[in-house]
């Protein structure tokens, strides 16, 4: 009976984990947004050399990055938080050198409140990165935003967003 319950919980978590649209870039950049501000420049491409798993992953080749005015970002489709639940956000990433990225889960319009925020230091090896939401209110129309903090080449794959029990 316990084994059956654990299997059911595993399937429930797996079923809830794919709430970010096109999480592995297998459908190109569909449902993802990209932008660069100020003097920054970015080439965002989906190819097999940037895949952690599957056939495709995202490659960001960024130049002239110097926050806060000269930045580039990747944004997900809209996600929602249900009241009383916490969420785990995870993804696989690497960069051509030791580089920081800022990851936030924030409203798509004013006020731009962050419901999750963390800075990660990427390396040249694939690694899984995770952050949790810290708020339990119901909120709609949030986007995951990934902002590299310096120029370089970044690869991303296998994003996941799912509710967790605290």
């Amino acid at each position: 009976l316990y084994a059956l319950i654990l299997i059911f919980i595993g399937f429930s978590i797996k079923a809830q984990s794919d709430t970010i649209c096109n999480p592995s870039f297998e459908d190109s950049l569909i449902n993802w947004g990209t932008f660069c501000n100020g003097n920054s420049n970015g080439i965002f491409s989906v190819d097999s050399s940037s895949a952690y798993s599957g056939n495709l992953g995202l490659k960001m080749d960024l130049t002239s990055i110097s926050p806060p005015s000269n930045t580039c970002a990747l944004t997900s489709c809209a996600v929602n938080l249900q009241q009383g639940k916490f969420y785990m956000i995870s993804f696989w990433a690497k960069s051509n050198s030791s580089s920081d990225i800022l990851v936030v889960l924030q409203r798509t319009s004013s006020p731009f409140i962050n419901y999750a925020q963390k800075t990660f230091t990427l390396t040249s090896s694939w690694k899984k990165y995770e952050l949790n939401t810290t708020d339990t209110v119901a909120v709609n129309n949030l986007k995951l935003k990934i902002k590299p903090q310096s120029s370089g080449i970044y690869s991303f794959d296998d994003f996941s967003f799912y509710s967790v029990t605290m």
Side-chain angles (χ1 to χ4, degrees):
L1 180 60
Y2 289 115
L4 186 58
I5 291 171
L6 289 174
I7 291 170
F8 179 74
I9 290 171
F11 284 136
S12 296
I13 290 172
K14 184 70 173 168
Q16 296 170 357
S17 66
D18 196 13
T19 56
I20 290 181
C21 309
N22 190 20
S24 296
F25 304 99
E26 298 299 323
D27 294 324
S28 192
L29 273 170
I30 292 172
N31 295 311
W32 288 91
T34 60
F35 66 87
C36 291
N37 293 329
N39 294 327
S40 64
N41 292 296
I43 298 171
F44 300 82
S45 59
V46 175
D47 62 39
S48 59
S49 68
S50 294
Y52 170 74
S53 67
N55 295 318
L56 300 171
L58 174 69
K59 178 180 177 182
M60 297 170 66
D61 188 350
L62 308 178
T63 57
S64 301
I65 303 294
S66 63
S69 59
N70 297 318
T71 62
C72 290
L74 171 70
T75 61
S76 72
C77 62
V79 296
N80 302 320
L81 301 180
Q82 295 179 27
Q83 185 171 358
K85 292 190 176 186
F86 293 91
Y87 292 85
M88 171 70 75
I89 300 161
S90 67
F91 58 93
W92 287 85
K94 68 177 184 173
S95 64
N96 65 332
S97 63
S98 181
S99 303
D100 288 346
I101 61 167
L102 173 64
V103 179
V104 296
L105 180 65
Q106 73 178 196
R107 289 182 183 264
T108 58
S109 59
S110 183
F112 295 104
I113 298 169
N114 291 342
Y115 291 89
Q117 176 177 331
K118 192 167 184 180
T119 299
F120 298 102
T121 301
L122 304 188
T123 65
S124 59
S125 298
W126 283 107
K127 182 179 173 186
K128 186 176 186 178
Y129 297 90
E130 298 177 331
L131 69 152
N132 296 307
T133 58
T134 58
D135 210 317
T136 62
V137 299
V139 185
N140 293 329
N141 284 333
L142 302 177
K143 287 195 175 192
L144 186 61
K145 185 183 289 183
I146 298 91
K147 295 176 73 173
Q149 301 297 290
S150 59
S151 299
I153 298 173
Y154 300 83
S155 296
F156 296 93
D157 204 2
D158 293 345
F159 281 85
S160 186
F161 177 85
Y162 54 91
S163 64
V164 294
T165 304
M166 300 302 262

